[in-house]
Amino acid sequence: MNFNDLPPALRASFLPPPRLLMGPGPITCDPRVLRAMSYQLVGQFDPAMTDCMNQTMALYRGVFRTENRWTFMVDSTARGGIEACLVSLLEPGDRVLVPIMGRFGQLLTEIAERCGAEVHTIAVPWGEVCDPAQVAEALDRVRPKLLATVQGDTSTTMCQPLDELGRLCRERDVLFYCDCTASIVGNAFETDAWGLDAVSAGLQKCLGGPSGIAPVTLSDRAAAVIQARRHVERGIRAADDEDAGGERIRSNYFDLAMIMDYWSEARLNHHTEATSMLYGARECARIALEEGIDEVVERHRIAGNALAAGLAALGLALFGDQAHRMHNVVGVYIPEGVDGEAVRGRMLADFGIEIGTSFGPLHGVIWRIGTMGYNARRDTVLTTLACLEQCLRCEGFAAPPGEAVAAALGAFS
Ligand SMILES: *Cc1c(COP(=O)(O)O)cnc(C)c1O
């Protein structure tokens, strides 16, 4: 292949257009995170690198609100963090209970099935959350090894209350897992106070980073279950390395016992840590802790409420149980007779603003508009509402002029 014969677009470096990402994630990256990710690499076992790994572990204990020793990174998108937790905790035939309130609950069942687990579900209509009494009843009936939950399911914008579920699990000796990718630091999340055993997340929502690394935390209980399945890879086995004797974890890449060996003082090599992602993850946590986790959650609450107030003032109906809406993403019905994709197209083409479409039963029914991380701000909410009003009018919807921005400004003040 001759480089000069390539079309000009291929010969040029890729330059992304300026965008304001107001969808359900990813969102516009915090510039401090982009800066951190542009620093030069260091070697895998350089003390600077292992210090950075240990610091990142310490910072994420603050983000997850936990004392868990095992708080570390899985190098993959958030889905890989979920898969690592489930495949490392579940053995074929283990029972797992999954409350489903949207797409990401479905994803937990899909992953748990592939682990060979016996999957039991309780489902609520999209736009609602599960009642803890319903979960308690199902725990008694199913007697699972693991309860696998999603806190903020972006597909429906609902935020599942978790504070009572930990006690229900402890009383029954059930392990308690949560995917908090979309909700962490945008909504209150308490790993230790809520009795969680395994939690996984991602950076691309309220943490203000790109996707590509999954922070994970494990209680001692969960770590013991996983380490009972520890198996040292042949090529790096030392004379005194012994397997723990439990059933070997059925994934190599997502084997948390091996990944924990890598993040421990032993530094047993597994993969090559994604150095630039690690720098980004560290900076995301540092930024959140610098502002204060409670303050970050409050900023998301205020921005989400102002956005919701503005959308209502436009004459649009909000989707789902508003008492359980995530702070950081609002679902809003596409008005009768309006082409939802045409509005999204205009938002992007005319204003460089991305808002979200929806999946499954909500496809073509609602838009999802996010105010997350770096974009959970007053100016981004006001700009999005002002532009949406124009796009709606272009598509034939009689949006009352100026009302949305006024309502949002009122909510902010
Ligand atoms: C956005 C989101 C994810 C993202 O997973 P990726 O693999 O990073 O795309 C996972 N879980 C939930 C609940 C989410 O909202």
Side-chain angles (χ1 to χ4, degrees):
M1 182 201 282
N2 187 341
F3 183 78
N4 289 320
D5 294 338
L6 292 172
L10 291 192
R11 279 184 279 136
S13 300
F14 177 68
L15 267 188
R19 296 283 193 239
L20 179 62
L21 299 182
M22 300 295 285
I27 54 92
T28 316
C29 205
D30 190 304
R32 289 170 291 182
V33 176
L34 293 177
R35 180 181 61 191
M37 293 183 67
S38 71
Y39 292 142
Q40 190 49 269
L41 306 186
V42 291
Q44 268 206 93
F45 301 103
D46 187 316
M49 179 68 179
T50 50
D51 279 353
C52 183
M53 290 170 77
N54 290 341
Q55 290 164 0
T56 305
M57 294 175 89
L59 291 168
Y60 275 89
R61 288 186 192 106
V63 169
F64 282 125
R65 306 248 198 183
T66 183
E67 302 289 321
N68 286 343
R69 164 170 207 267
W70 292 112
T71 303
F72 55 100
M73 302 294 122
V74 173
D75 286 337
S76 73
T77 70
R79 179 180 296 237
I82 301 169
E83 188 150 348
C85 288
L86 296 189
V87 78
S88 300
L89 287 167
L90 294 173
E91 296 183 20
D94 282 343
R95 280 190 300 279
V96 54
L97 177 66
V98 184
I100 302 176
M101 55 169 180
R103 178 197 172 181
F104 288 99
Q106 297 282 8
L107 175 64
L108 296 182
T109 67
E110 148 79 21
I111 295 173
E113 277 166 14
R114 290 195 190 213
C115 298
E118 184 185 311
V119 180
H120 297 258
T121 62
I122 40 181
V124 293
W126 285 35
E128 296 178 20
V129 297
C130 287
D131 180 352
Q134 210 182 343
V135 178
E137 182 279 320
L139 285 172
D140 286 335
R141 180 165 40 81
V142 174
R143 308 206 142 273
K145 173 181 182 179
L146 178 76
L147 173 69
T149 62
V150 176
Q151 187 190 26
D153 201 315
T154 36
S155 66
T156 70
T157 75
M158 292 298 107
C159 190
Q160 174 65 45
L162 300 171
D163 49 337
E164 286 182 48
L165 303 187
R167 182 181 49 82
L168 298 179
C169 287
R170 281 301 149 99
E171 286 168 0
R172 294 161 177 81
D173 200 24
V174 171
L175 292 164
F176 182 19
Y177 163 79
C178 183
D179 169 13
C180 68
T181 304
S183 47
I184 188 88
V185 311
N187 307 263
F189 188 86
E190 299 282 343
T191 300
D192 288 358
W194 294 351
L196 282 143
D197 291 299
V199 179
S200 67
L203 305 185
Q204 74 266 36
K205 310 280 168 81
C206 304
L207 281 164
S211 79
I213 202 165
V216 164
T217 189
L218 302 172
S219 71
D220 289 346
R221 266 180 2 140
V225 168
I226 292 167
Q227 283 174 324
R229 305 176 69 185
R230 181 173 181 272
H231 171 98
V232 183
E233 220 168 59
R234 279 181 213 114
I236 58 164
R237 184 181 289 274
D240 55 352
D241 275 333
E242 277 183 39
D243 289 345
E247 147 108 31
R248 188 164 62 152
I249 292 167
R250 296 198 171 195
S251 167
N252 177 295
Y253 189 73
F254 290 127
D255 183 323
L256 286 183
M258 291 207 285
I259 297 173
M260 285 151 77
D261 277 346
Y262 182 46
W263 284 79
S264 76
E265 294 311 310
R267 302 275 170 215
L268 284 193
N269 185 245
H270 178 247
H271 58 288
T272 306
E273 179 55 20
T275 314
S276 307
M277 284 308 309
L278 176 73
Y279 297 164
R282 186 191 180 289
E283 186 67 1
C284 284
R286 193 198 67 76
I287 288 169
L289 292 168
E290 181 178 47
E291 184 177 348
I293 302 297
D294 292 338
E295 287 74 12
V296 180
V297 170
E298 182 62 6
R299 176 163 56 81
H300 282 88
R301 190 187 67 76
I302 291 170
N305 278 345
L307 176 66
L311 292 169
L314 273 176
L316 305 182
L318 303 180
F319 172 77
D321 172 4
Q322 292 300 300
H324 290 108
R325 178 170 56 71
M326 295 163 70
H327 291 154
N328 49 303
V329 53
V330 180
V332 59
Y333 283 98
I334 301 166
E336 222 23 74
V338 169
D339 178 347
E341 286 307 289
V343 170
R344 289 198 333 115
R346 276 184 195 276
M347 287 290 279
L348 196 67
D350 292 343
F351 300 105
I353 300 177
E354 180 178 283
I355 63 169
T357 176
S358 299
F359 308 110
L362 296 178
H363 185 71
V365 178
I366 68 168
W367 294 303
R368 294 172 303 150
I369 308 181
T371 50
M372 310 193 195
Y374 184 63
N375 283 348
R377 301 197 309 263
R378 205 166 92 123
D379 60 307
T380 53
V381 169
L382 299 177
T383 303
T384 302
L385 287 167
C387 297
L388 183 61
E389 180 191 314
Q390 295 302 322
C391 294
L392 279 167
R393 215 171 294 121
C394 290
E395 291 299 321
F397 179 77
E403 298 284 328
V405 169
L409 270 174
F412 274 117
S413 63

